[in-house]
Amino acid sequence: MVGSFPLAPGGGGVGRWAAVDIDAHDPGDDPARNERYAAHLYRKVTALGLRPLLATWGAGGYHLWVLFDRDLPGPVLHAFGRWLVTDAGEFGFPAAPETFPKQPTVPDGKFGNWLRAPGRHHTRDVFARAWDGDRWADGEAAVARVLSLTGDPPDLLPAGAGVPKNGQKARAAGPKAAGKAKPPTAGPDVFAAYNSSV
């Protein structure tokens, strides 16, 4: 299973992406509602001029990533993620979906929470599909969609997106969602190896 931490350690954490994780794990989760909300978030982000990645593994859950072309402080990424889901209640969610990074900062030596990247599902023999704006792409077309996204300039973020200004703390823009994404624990620490080589 491949994934990523949204914040790099040191100085409270910086990163280049924010994400929304719309789960379909519980019996009360509605796959049709999830799909409507995922499509809404995709349109919301593209209306800002950003090019997000929306992926699904076909079981009613969705991941939406917003990629940036340079490092941003953790509080900015956290606030933007929380701003994205402020309207979740209008779609029938009792609590806003999880957003990443889950916290504005991380202690030195820590990474925060981990999110699975597009690829093979960790428990089912299925690969992610990627939305290209018109239809779901599979296989090579999905890979091409993922690889086409190199990150967008953060100056496309609107002032009203909950982004803290003048050193203010990031504010949570919606109820906290339950659930934790945990990194794999078996095998070598590939994240430490990668970070030390970059």
Side-chain angles (χ1 to χ4, degrees):
M1 178 165 49
V2 176
S4 179
F5 293 98
L7 299 178
V14 296
R16 291 191 177 205
W17 59 270
V20 179
D21 180 7
I22 305 170
D23 285 328
H25 300 311
D26 299 325
D29 290 334
D30 178 0
R33 173 204 63 194
N34 290 358
E35 184 174 22
R36 284 191 305 275
Y37 193 54
H40 163 75
L41 290 178
Y42 185 91
R43 289 188 302 270
K44 184 176 184 177
V45 171
T46 56
L48 300 174
L50 298 163
R51 296 169 302 137
L53 171 61
L54 177 61
T56 185
W57 286 263
Y62 298 85
H63 287 181
L64 178 94
W65 285 268
V66 181
L67 311 170
F68 296 100
D69 64 3
R70 65 191 77 122
D71 288 340
L72 290 174
V76 171
L77 295 169
H78 176 261
F80 177 61
R82 299 307 301 154
W83 175 82
L84 281 174
V85 297
T86 54
D87 56 5
E90 298 170 26
F91 286 78
F93 287 88
E98 287 180 297
T99 60
F100 291 79
K102 288 187 180 184
Q103 61 276 34
T105 61
V106 292
D108 285 348
K110 301 290 183 185
F111 292 91
N113 300 94
W114 181 89
L115 183 64
R116 181 177 68 241
R120 186 181 181 279
H121 194 273
H122 64 289
T123 61
R124 296 183 295 119
D125 189 18
V126 63
F127 285 85
R129 301 166 70 205
W131 181 250
D132 68 6
D134 294 316
R135 63 188 156 287
W136 288 104
D138 293 301
E140 288 183 27
V143 172
R145 172 67 182 158
V146 171
L147 295 178
S148 74
L149 302 173
T150 57
D152 296 313
D155 50 333
L156 293 172
L157 295 175
V163 177
K165 296 194 180 277
N166 302 325
Q168 295 174 345
K169 292 178 79 174
R171 63 178 173 81
K176 291 184 179 177
K180 304 273 184 207
K182 296 180 181 172
T185 55
D189 188 346
V190 295
F191 301 106
Y194 171 79
N195 286 325
S196 67
S197 69
V198 177

